[in-house]
Amino acid sequence: MKKTARTKILFLALLSSLSFTKPILSETPSDVGERIIHTTKFTYWIDPTSSVPLESVLKTGQFSKITDDFINFGFLEGTLWLKLDPKDFPDPIKYPLLLIQAHNIDSVELFHKNDGNTYVVSKSGHIQPVFQREIPHRNFAFRIGHEKETILIAIRSEISLQFAFVFTNQRNLQREDYISQWIYGLFFGSLGIIILYNLAIAFFVRDRNYFYYIGYVLFFGLGQLSLLGFWGYFFVPDSYFWKRIGIPVFFSICLFFFVLFTSHFLKLKTRIPKVARFYQVLGVFSLLNAVVALFGGISQSSIGVSLLSVLICISLLIVLVWGIWRRIRSFYYFAIAFVLLLLTCTVYGLLKFGILPSNPFLEEMLFPIASLADITLFALALADRIQLLRQEKDMALAQVTSLRRERKISRDILMQSLPKTIPNVKNLQIQIFILPMKDVGGDFYEYFSPNPYEIGIVLCDVSGHGIPASLISAMGKVAFTTQKDNISSPKQVLEGMNRVLYGNCNPQYVTASYVYLNTSTKVWRFGRAGHPSAYLQRASGEIIKVHPKGKIIGVFPEIQIEESSYLVEPKDRILILSDGVLECFTPEGKMYGEAGLLEFLRTNRGLPNHLFKGKLIQDLESFSKAEIKEWEDDLTFIFLELV
């Protein structure tokens, strides 16, 4: 019977290919013929306590006939005794070898009598190092002389027990090994390539779904190596411990990665939180199941793997039905893969519990064929997910580019709408600086000078940024132009602007400062609507913080604005600003604030007016350790000095 493909890591393919040319037995002229499955010629008896001595087995045991070529005993406690009567021996010339077609048996002992009196024992199974067996093989093979008396076989195993008895010869055994190991080598090599390829992608895209997928494939492959006997034959031939725990440990960790992969790929935490929590519990139990195996609970852990597999498959079926009903694209590839996995795990679980009759085809072919298709579909699902993410990224980039273009247009419109020249007022020097946030901001200013001695300047800050702020800025400029008749009264200007803008700003608002200055009468009036204070610095160096009361504009039908009035003299300085100046931060989070501004004003009292703007910008950049153009807020200030 040909054996099928199974998971082999890349260099395992090389090892196995090297072993093809090394005969298992020396060739003799009698090595002719093929193979026969002889399971039904054996009879069996189970000693549940493993207490009956060898000499009493034939007398004590009540042997029953075996009816299946590939028999399934499930999780068996005790010792399984099998006997073959001399009348049922096959032709010793054609079939000199007995092969127990199974990969995971703890102990196999074959008893026969050469001299007719005492039993001779040949040992195999995990407990026996591979190269100390009579015939080193990933299955359990014995040389049979076909004695004239009944032979007995004692089998003990903590893992689910399925096997067939095959009589064959050296030539056929070598031929079958050559074919099957090539197939398995290709299969395991394919898994190795899949792991390496997806590992490279994982480090490139930094998507943990790939790491969960790689963990799933890796430990599934190791589990298949154990299931097929390659793990014990190639990697741990002398270790009874690692040969026994391979199946429950590797498949338990495989299930752990599988539930993580499923939960994260399908975004169950946001879509179905209860199922995500259930999978977290299953993941924890999978790891605990591996720990149980490591501490010797092989049988319990093997049962746990089967139960966890069934639970995962049943829950996934429900999840997939939900996802397909909701028409979620990421569920489609998974649906095909998971249904295939569900069927495979369900059938395998039924096989292990003895509910379905076992046979070599199902035992050998079920997982390799299903897993290769399953893993391929998972890879396609990941590739489709990356393609979707790329499309979403491209769409987002296109939207950002379009939005930036629109913001640049708005910024250009706003900057072009600002006054093109500095007002020319006698005995007054003016410095103005405005820098919108990156693409477009909400700060703007406007002025009106009806004669060479009077000027009214409004400085506004619209909440938020972007196109909405730009549009409200434009409306604010229009609102200011309606108040030119009230230029000498900050109260009337700001209250009038509020009446125009009320109801047109929601959900945003405007803060504003208004300065009226008459250089002939030396009168300065100031009003504010939720805006930062103004600062009056006398020629003597004294700094006065001017902070009259006033609510923000655009939110309330009517607002009450207070105004402050001062007489000013030559060399007195006035500074109004937006909050971008005060809310300048260091990388450590320290704010420039009013303290920093007052220190700057004191230190630079004697600085010429035309150098004030550049010096303040330099101080802010030095404090923040960043260029002004990289700031996240608008920056505006207006500096007046009487001469």
Side-chain angles (χ1 to χ4, degrees):
M1 175 80 62
K2 295 183 180 181
K3 305 177 182 67
T4 52
R6 230 19 148 225
T7 324
K8 184 172 271 195
I9 303 174
L10 288 173
F11 64 89
L12 181 56
L14 177 61
L15 291 175
S16 63
S17 65
L18 291 175
S19 70
F20 301 153
T21 58
K22 180 180 179 181
I24 295 175
L25 298 171
S26 60
E27 187 172 353
T28 65
S30 63
D31 290 323
V32 294
E34 296 295 331
R35 72 198 312 266
I36 57 172
I37 299 176
H38 220 56
T39 312
T40 56
K41 301 298 182 180
F42 283 78
T43 55
Y44 75 93
W45 171 66
I46 298 172
D47 176 9
T49 61
S50 300
S51 59
V52 177
L54 171 65
E55 295 76 11
S56 304
V57 168
L58 291 176
K59 298 177 181 178
T60 304
Q62 298 179 355
F63 285 82
S64 303
K65 187 172 180 58
I66 297 175
T67 57
D68 297 319
D69 286 334
F70 198 84
I71 191 167
N72 184 354
F73 286 96
F75 292 94
L76 180 68
E77 294 184 1
T79 300
L80 174 66
W81 287 95
L82 301 117
K83 72 173 182 176
L84 181 65
D85 294 328
K87 64 181 178 63
D88 294 317
F89 289 168
D91 185 348
I93 302 299
K94 290 184 177 181
Y95 310 107
L97 302 179
L98 171 61
L99 179 70
I100 301 178
Q101 190 172 319
H103 309 296
N104 294 282
I105 298 177
D106 290 338
S107 173
V108 182
E109 295 176 310
L110 186 146
F111 301 94
H112 56 94
K113 293 181 179 180
N114 277 336
D115 56 8
N117 295 316
T118 59
Y119 280 103
V120 176
V121 60
S122 296
K123 296 183 178 181
S124 189
H126 289 331
I127 198 170
Q128 191 77 3
V130 171
F131 297 103
Q132 292 182 18
R133 300 173 187 173
E134 184 178 11
I135 302 175
H137 195 267
R138 67 187 180 93
N139 294 130
F140 310 106
F142 299 92
R143 195 189 307 275
I144 299 296
H146 299 293
E147 294 76 7
K148 303 300 182 181
E149 295 189 32
T150 298
I151 63 173
L152 291 173
I153 298 175
I155 295 178
R156 287 177 290 274
S157 184
E158 293 188 68
I159 299 176
S160 183
L161 188 60
Q162 299 87 30
F163 60 87
F165 286 114
V166 178
F167 282 92
T168 185
N169 56 65
Q170 173 239 333
R171 180 177 299 171
N172 187 67
L173 186 63
Q174 182 176 342
R175 177 178 62 84
E176 289 184 353
D177 283 345
Y178 182 87
I179 295 172
S180 64
Q181 289 186 36
W182 259 111
I183 296 173
Y184 289 133
L186 291 173
F187 180 77
F188 287 124
S190 299
L191 286 185
I193 292 171
I194 289 173
I195 290 172
L196 292 176
Y197 174 74
N198 284 280
L199 187 62
I201 296 177
F203 281 108
F204 179 73
V205 302
R206 301 292 179 181
D207 186 342
R208 57 180 167 175
N209 284 293
Y210 273 95
F211 293 103
Y212 295 148
Y213 172 73
I214 290 166
Y216 160 64
V217 176
L218 174 62
F219 283 97
F220 180 82
L222 291 174
Q224 290 299 309
L225 284 173
S226 296
L227 191 65
L228 292 168
F230 291 115
W231 171 253
Y233 186 82
F234 285 107
F235 295 99
V236 288
D238 299 325
S239 175
Y240 175 49
F241 175 77
W242 284 105
K243 280 186 286 189
R244 291 177 70 233
I245 70 170
I247 289 178
V249 167
F250 292 145
F251 278 119
S252 293
I253 300 175
C254 169
L255 292 177
F256 168 74
F257 281 106
F258 181 75
V259 294
L260 286 179
F261 175 54
T262 302
S263 182
H264 283 81
F265 185 88
L266 298 180
K267 299 179 180 178
L268 298 182
K269 189 174 182 179
T270 56
R271 289 171 174 162
I272 319 176
K274 290 183 178 180
V275 174
R277 288 193 292 270
F278 175 66
Y279 278 3
Q280 289 176 347
V281 173
L282 289 181
V284 171
F285 273 109
S286 297
L287 290 179
L288 291 176
N289 199 59
V291 173
V292 170
L294 288 170
F295 281 91
I298 306 298
S299 177
Q300 296 84 349
S301 183
S302 300
I303 295 173
V305 169
S306 299
L307 291 175
L308 287 168
S309 299
V310 173
L311 283 175
I312 291 170
C313 287
I314 293 174
S315 62
L316 278 178
L317 178 62
I318 298 171
V319 169
L320 288 171
V321 170
W322 178 88
I324 293 174
W325 177 70
R326 297 289 295 271
R327 298 183 179 179
I328 302 174
R329 177 172 172 173
S330 59
F331 279 69
Y332 290 121
Y333 277 113
F334 256 53
I336 301 173
F338 285 162
V339 167
L340 178 61
L341 184 67
L342 182 146
L343 293 174
T344 303
C345 291
T346 301
V347 171
Y348 196 73
L350 294 176
L351 286 173
K352 290 303 179 184
F353 283 105
I355 298 174
L356 288 180
S358 297
N359 61 72
F361 176 81
L362 286 177
E363 285 291 318
E364 291 278 342
M365 297 290 291
L366 181 64
F367 260 118
I369 294 176
S371 63
L372 187 59
D374 195 58
I375 289 168
T376 302
L377 287 168
F378 289 157
L380 291 174
L382 281 169
D384 183 66
R385 182 176 184 271
I386 295 298
Q387 181 64 23
L388 282 175
L389 291 175
R390 185 181 293 112
Q391 292 175 0
E392 292 174 359
K393 180 181 178 181
D394 292 342
M395 291 177 62
L397 286 175
Q399 292 175 352
V400 168
T401 301
S402 176
L403 184 58
R404 284 180 177 173
R405 188 182 301 113
E406 292 177 0
R407 286 182 173 181
K408 186 177 184 304
I409 293 172
S410 299
R411 182 182 189 276
D412 293 342
I413 293 173
L414 175 62
M415 296 302 291
Q416 291 172 9
S417 68
L418 295 174
K420 300 297 187 295
T421 60
I422 300 296
N424 186 13
V425 179
K426 288 185 177 183
N427 302 321
L428 184 66
Q429 292 182 344
I430 302 176
Q431 291 286 313
I432 299 176
F433 180 83
I434 181 168
L435 181 68
M437 166 190 170
K438 293 185 179 179
D439 295 326
V440 60
D443 283 7
F444 70 93
Y445 74 94
E446 190 57 270
Y447 70 87
F448 178 60
S449 180
N451 57 64
Y453 299 98
E454 289 184 287
I455 185 171
I457 303 176
V458 67
L459 172 58
C460 297
D461 183 4
V462 181
S463 63
H465 298 280
I467 295 175
S470 178
L471 294 175
I472 294 173
S473 297
M475 290 190 290
K477 292 172 68 66
V478 172
F480 176 70
T481 61
T482 66
Q483 304 302 314
K484 290 182 178 180
D485 293 339
N486 302 317
I487 181 176
S488 63
S489 173
K491 173 180 174 65
Q492 293 183 35
V493 170
L494 295 177
E495 290 179 356
M497 288 180 65
N498 180 72
R499 285 190 289 272
V500 174
L501 293 176
Y502 173 71
N504 296 314
C505 295
N506 292 336
Q508 294 173 284
Y509 58 88
V510 179
T511 66
S513 289
Y514 181 75
V515 170
Y516 167 76
L517 182 61
N518 189 318
T519 59
S520 176
T521 63
K522 305 295 191 296
V523 173
W524 171 52
R525 296 192 183 99
F526 175 72
R528 54 177 289 278
H531 208 71
S533 307
Y535 298 90
L536 171 62
Q537 187 173 27
R538 297 295 191 182
S540 63
E542 178 191 6
I543 300 174
I544 301 173
K545 177 180 177 181
V546 184
H547 191 77
K549 295 181 180 179
K551 292 184 178 180
I552 58 178
I553 293 173
V555 176
F556 307 102
E558 294 291 338
I559 60 174
Q560 296 296 320
I561 299 295
E562 292 182 358
E563 60 180 53
S564 298
S565 180
Y566 290 85
L567 289 175
V568 291
E569 300 295 335
K571 301 301 180 180
D572 285 351
R573 294 177 167 184
I574 299 167
L575 177 64
I576 61 173
L577 44 79
S578 67
D579 56 9
V581 176
L582 302 175
E583 295 176 359
C584 166
F585 292 90
T586 66
E588 296 76 28
K590 181 180 178 182
M591 190 170 73
Y592 188 75
E594 187 175 76
L597 180 63
L598 293 176
E599 179 63 26
F600 174 82
L601 292 175
R602 294 189 190 100
T603 304
N604 295 278
R605 177 63 188 87
L607 189 72
N609 180 277
H610 68 281
L611 298 178
F612 182 89
K613 177 171 66 174
K615 187 67 174 177
L616 179 56
I617 293 171
Q618 181 183 353
D619 194 61
L620 291 172
E621 288 184 331
S622 175
F623 180 82
S624 66
K625 297 180 176 60
E627 295 185 20
I628 293 293
K629 63 182 180 181
E630 298 298 327
W631 285 17
E632 296 298 325
D633 199 0
D634 306 325
L635 180 66
T636 307
F637 60 84
I638 300 174
F639 183 66
L640 312 173
E641 183 174 6
L642 273 74
V643 295

